């Protein structure tokens, strides 16, 4: 009991004459503690604070701050930038630096975290495509040396404790990115360039979305738990060419932009918005890079477990709720059992809707409702949410050409990996996945014309505002790929005539 309780600190604050109790882990960074104090005061998280004891002396905000009681609470004073004199600001900066040093000194797991981070970083470098052989060999040697160094310290056991469903990094080592106003504004638009950002920056953007939509405040989500959950989500996406964490970010950012563009918070409850965002984040967790057709034809463990019924989507749901079952990652901890049941059912329904085998069924159901859509009808709302996550899941062509086109390359690479394996295993191969039969234009034209445009145009009946931002780019993308196909066809025709002429010439001789 002693060791568990000593992991947490309790500090009492005087908030306008009311005693506020704040509990935090002693592994928190000073910045995280300051944010908790801001939340207790009801002020923005970026507010500068000054902490004073009963005698008026300044106290540093960090995990090692002196313990106090309800009878001797600290007074927290918000400071505007104009109030900080140069000397006091300098003193505050020094205090923060000292606090960071103390924080490091008192973290028992610091070495563990640091070594794990270095190892994860090196292993990530090895996995990156396009690296030269020499660089890969150097990375492998670095990893080998690091493992040997850790083994020599008799401290290698913790590596085995890094279970898949646990974040590989703790929150204090999750770098904070201050999003610029330009980024914050761009995040709300479908044209957002998803290729500009590193993993930690994408995590910060996702975190911002939950705060900006009011989900953190309305559902009392612990900000540290939100960070830890997002880290765990990141660590449970595989490094596939297409179905990876960046795709997860793409789908969630498109959902966020649709919520903003269509003013969905005026139509939906906050619970619905929470379900839409969370399903988008979790919708492809632990995707193996081989689709449902492969799973079923190859009789994989997933296909057997889920009786050939949406095996991948069922797996994504299962992994999502395995993560939520961990207290450190459960952003729904404030919900009572009945409310959690509603969230769980809603999230599962949306993730299962992303199985493209159900596309026709779901879209037909929505088409029957759209002309007389009733926002008070739960069945109508559920159907709309299913269509929205489907739109976001396959929305790459909505984005500008320079953002969308690399995703086609990624998808084709994943398709070719599957078809190559299917050929070696003697399984059926879909023509649109066969590297010998498919081209970019042929892969995209039919998909845009017969899947994307009809679905987005149906949604446009409810939300006319998406025409300019989403439907028009799809039409332009269709036209561009049709032009490319005409060029390809013309070149093939020229090549064919050349071959025929060569053949005829040979016969004349």
């Amino acid at each position: 009991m002693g060791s568990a309780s000593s992991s947490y600190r309790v500090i009492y604050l005087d908030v306008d004459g009311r005693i506020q109790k704040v509990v935090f882990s002693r592994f928190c960074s000073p910045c995280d503690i300051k944010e908790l104090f801001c939340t207790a005061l009801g002020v923005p998280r970026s507010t500068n604070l000054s902490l004073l004891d009963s005698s008026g002396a300044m106290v540093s905000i960090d995990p090692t701050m002196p313990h106090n009681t309800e009878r001797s609470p600290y007074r927290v004073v918000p400071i505007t930038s104009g109030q900080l004199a140069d000397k006091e600001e300098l003193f505050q900066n020094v205090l923060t630096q000292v606090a960071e040093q103390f924080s490091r000194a008192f973290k028992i797991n610091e070495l563990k975290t640091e070594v794990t981070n270095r190892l994860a970083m090196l292993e990530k470098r090895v996995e990156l495509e396009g690296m030269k052989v020499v660089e890969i060999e150097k990375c492998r040697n670095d990893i080998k040396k690091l493992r040997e160094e850790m083994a020599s310290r008799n401290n290698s056991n913790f590596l085995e404790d890094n279970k898949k469903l646990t974040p590989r990094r703790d929150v204090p080592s999750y770098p904070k990115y201050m999003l610029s106003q330009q980024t914050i504004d761009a995040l709300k638009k479908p044209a957002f360039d998803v290729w500009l950002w590193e993993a930690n920056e994408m995590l910060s953007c996702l975190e911002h979305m939950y705060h900006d939509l009011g989900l953190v405040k309305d559902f009392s989500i612990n900000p540290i738990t939100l960070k830890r959950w997002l880290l765990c989500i990141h660590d449970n996406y595989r490094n596939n060419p297409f179905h990876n964490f960046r795709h997860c970010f793409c789908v969630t950012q498109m959902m966020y932009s649709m919520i903003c563009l269509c003013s969905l918070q005026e139509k939906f409850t906050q619970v619905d918005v929470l379900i839409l965002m969370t399903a988008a984040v979790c919708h492809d967790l632990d995707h193996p890079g081989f689709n449902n057709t492969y799973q079923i034809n190859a009789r994989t463990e997933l296909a057997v477990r889920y009786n050939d019924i949406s095996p991948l989507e069922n797996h994504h749901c299962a992994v999502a709720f395995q993560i939520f079952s961990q207290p450190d990652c459960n952003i729904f901890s404030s919900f009572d059992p009945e409310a959690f049941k509603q969230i769980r059912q809603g999230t599962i329904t949306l993730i299962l809707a992303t199985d493209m085998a159900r596309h026709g069924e779901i879209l037909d159901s929505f088409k029957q409702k759209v002309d007389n859509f009733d926002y008070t009808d739960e069945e109508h709302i559920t159907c709309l949410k299913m269509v929205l996550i489907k739109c976001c899941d396959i929305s790459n062509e909505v984005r500008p050409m320079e953002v969308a086109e690399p995703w086609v390359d990624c998808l084709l690479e994943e398709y070719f990996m599957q078809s190559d394996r299917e050929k070696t295993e003697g399984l059926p191969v879909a023509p649109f996945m066969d590297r010998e039969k498919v081209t970019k234009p042929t892969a995209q034209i039919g998909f845009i014309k017969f899947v994307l445009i009809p679905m987005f145009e149906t949604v446009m009946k409810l939300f006319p505002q998406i025409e300019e931002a989403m439907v028009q780019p799809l039409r332009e993308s269709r036209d561009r790929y049709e032009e490319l196909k005409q060029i390809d066809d013309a070149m093939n025709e020229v090549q064919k005539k050349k071959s025929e002429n060569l053949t005829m010439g040979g016969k004349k001789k």
Side-chain angles (χ1 to χ4, degrees):
M1 287 294 287
S3 60
S5 61
S6 64
S7 295
Y8 292 90
R9 301 290 311 277
V10 178
I11 293 294
Y12 295 92
L13 305 179
D14 179 354
V15 180
D16 296 329
R18 187 167 47 86
I19 304 302
Q20 183 85 25
K21 179 180 174 183
V22 180
V23 181
F24 55 87
S25 164
R26 66 192 182 87
F27 299 120
C28 278
S29 72
C31 211
D32 290 326
I33 298 168
K34 183 185 81 69
E35 287 187 6
L36 286 173
F37 285 2
C38 287
T39 303
L41 258 71
V43 298
R45 294 184 302 154
S46 58
T47 306
N48 285 315
L49 299 177
S50 184
L51 194 64
L52 309 174
D53 66 15
S54 54
S55 68
M58 190 177 285
V59 180
S60 84
I61 299 175
D62 73 275
T64 64
M65 68 178 75
H67 177 71
N68 68 351
T69 66
E70 287 182 78
R71 293 183 179 180
S72 58
Y74 290 139
R75 193 158 55 87
V76 188
V77 182
I79 306 171
T80 63
S81 56
Q83 288 176 305
L84 272 177
D86 289 347
K87 287 185 180 178
E88 191 177 347
E89 189 167 5
L90 180 63
F91 180 57
Q92 191 70 29
N93 288 339
V94 171
L95 272 179
T96 303
Q97 289 175 24
V98 171
E100 290 284 0
Q101 292 300 322
F102 267 93
S103 178
R104 289 195 190 96
F106 279 84
K107 282 181 194 166
I108 297 170
N109 288 336
E110 182 68 30
L111 173 65
K112 180 193 288 190
T113 305
E114 184 181 330
V115 173
T116 306
N117 287 346
R118 282 175 61 199
L119 190 55
M121 182 185 72
L122 289 168
E123 288 173 332
K124 186 81 174 175
R125 279 174 59 201
V126 172
E127 290 167 4
L128 286 173
E129 291 180 43
M131 288 181 69
K132 295 174 185 173
V133 177
V134 179
E135 291 174 315
I136 292 174
E137 271 312 306
K138 185 177 182 305
C139 285
R140 283 184 178 143
N141 289 335
D142 287 347
I143 291 171
K144 187 179 176 185
K145 284 177 188 173
L146 187 56
R147 287 192 183 279
E148 287 169 355
E149 181 187 337
M150 287 160 59
S152 69
R153 293 184 189 182
N154 295 318
N155 194 28
S156 59
N157 287 341
F158 76 81
L159 280 177
E160 296 161 18
D161 296 335
N162 284 318
K163 298 290 189 277
K164 197 170 185 186
L165 294 171
T166 304
R168 285 196 297 268
R169 296 165 287 168
D170 200 5
V171 169
S173 62
Y174 171 179
K176 285 184 181 297
Y177 286 90
M178 296 304 294
L179 303 182
S180 68
Q181 191 57 48
Q182 185 182 7
T183 300
I184 288 169
D185 294 340
L187 262 179
K188 295 183 177 181
K189 295 171 183 169
F192 187 78
D193 190 343
V194 294
W195 295 105
L196 298 177
W197 312 94
E198 296 175 5
N200 280 329
E201 293 171 311
M202 289 188 278
L203 287 166
S204 290
C205 287
L206 291 171
E207 189 185 348
H208 167 79
M209 294 174 202
Y210 271 74
H211 281 281
D212 184 58
L213 292 170
L215 302 176
V216 175
K217 183 168 179 268
D218 291 353
F219 299 113
S220 303
I221 297 173
N222 183 324
I224 305 295
T225 306
L226 176 65
K227 286 176 183 290
R228 202 173 274 120
W229 171 65
L230 288 170
L231 275 175
C232 201
I233 291 291
H234 168 269
D235 291 348
N236 281 276
Y237 272 90
R238 300 195 197 181
N239 292 319
N240 299 314
F242 184 92
H243 290 100
N244 50 40
F245 178 69
R246 193 176 299 276
H247 168 66
C248 149
F249 175 70
C250 266
V251 174
T252 311
Q253 185 272 325
M254 189 62 74
M255 180 66 78
Y256 175 65
S257 69
M258 287 194 87
I259 290 168
C260 298
L261 185 64
C262 304
S263 305
L264 291 183
Q265 286 184 295
E266 296 173 12
K267 309 282 188 183
F268 288 161
T269 66
Q270 279 291 77
V271 170
D272 285 326
V273 173
L274 179 64
I275 289 169
L276 282 168
M277 289 294 292
T278 305
V281 169
C282 299
H283 84 284
D284 269 335
L285 275 167
D286 198 42
H287 195 297
F290 299 90
N291 70 11
N292 279 330
T293 303
Y294 174 82
Q295 306 298 325
I296 293 165
N297 289 340
R299 300 176 189 174
T300 64
E301 184 189 342
L302 283 183
V304 172
R305 181 183 303 156
Y306 295 112
N307 305 307
D308 295 352
I309 301 167
S310 303
L312 288 181
E313 290 72 25
N314 274 295
H315 179 60
H316 306 324
C317 291
V319 175
F321 283 93
Q322 283 172 339
I323 292 172
F324 287 131
S325 71
Q326 299 176 101
D328 280 356
C329 296
N330 184 13
I331 60 170
F332 303 136
S333 60
S334 67
F335 285 74
D336 61 50
E338 198 54 40
F340 177 77
K341 187 177 174 184
Q342 182 189 353
I343 292 279
R344 174 171 159 78
Q345 188 54 60
T347 305
I348 290 171
T349 298
L350 295 205
I351 294 176
L352 292 180
T354 61
D355 183 355
M356 284 303 292
R358 297 181 58 201
H359 177 80
E361 160 216 333
I362 292 168
L363 188 57
D364 286 347
S365 174
F366 182 60
K367 283 178 177 176
Q368 289 168 17
K369 299 173 176 61
V370 73
D371 290 330
N372 297 294
F373 196 84
D374 182 359
Y375 284 99
T376 63
D377 186 321
E378 194 175 327
E379 190 182 331
H380 282 221
I381 288 289
T382 299
C383 189
L384 174 56
K385 287 190 293 184
M386 290 163 77
V387 170
L388 287 173
I389 195 167
K390 283 176 59 55
C391 285
C392 296
D393 188 23
I394 54 177
S395 63
N396 284 326
E397 289 301 327
V398 166
R399 301 182 188 277
M401 181 194 74
E402 62 274 13
V403 180
E405 191 167 359
W407 281 115
V408 184
D409 296 320
C410 294
L411 187 60
L412 288 177
E413 185 183 346
E414 200 165 293
Y415 280 173
F416 296 158
M417 281 168 55
Q418 176 170 320
S419 60
D420 290 348
R421 179 183 283 197
E422 286 168 334
K423 288 172 186 176
T424 61
E425 293 178 2
L427 298 172
V429 178
F432 68 89
M433 287 187 162
D434 193 333
R435 68 172 74 244
E436 293 166 15
K437 296 178 181 175
V438 75
T439 64
K440 266 200 223 180
T442 58
Q444 291 302 93
I445 291 170
F447 188 66
I448 296 169
K449 281 174 73 171
F450 303 115
V451 177
L452 287 175
I453 291 178
M455 180 165 66
F456 276 85
E457 285 184 340
T458 308
V459 174
M460 191 175 77
K461 290 182 178 181
L462 270 191
F463 306 109
Q465 57 267 52
I466 74 166
E467 180 167 19
E468 184 183 346
M470 305 182 91
V471 180
Q472 196 52 39
L474 286 175
R475 293 168 181 157
E476 289 167 6
S477 180
R478 172 201 60 198
D479 295 345
R480 190 174 67 86
Y481 278 114
E482 284 184 333
E483 285 174 18
L484 285 174
K485 186 176 184 301
Q486 287 175 4
I487 293 168
D488 283 355
D489 290 347
M491 288 177 69
N492 289 336
E493 191 62 35
V494 169
Q495 201 63 41
K496 186 179 171 186
K497 284 183 178 175
K498 276 186 182 176
S499 299
E500 286 173 358
N501 290 339
L502 283 171
T503 308
M504 292 296 291
K507 285 180 180 176
K508 284 177 184 176
K509 286 180 182 177

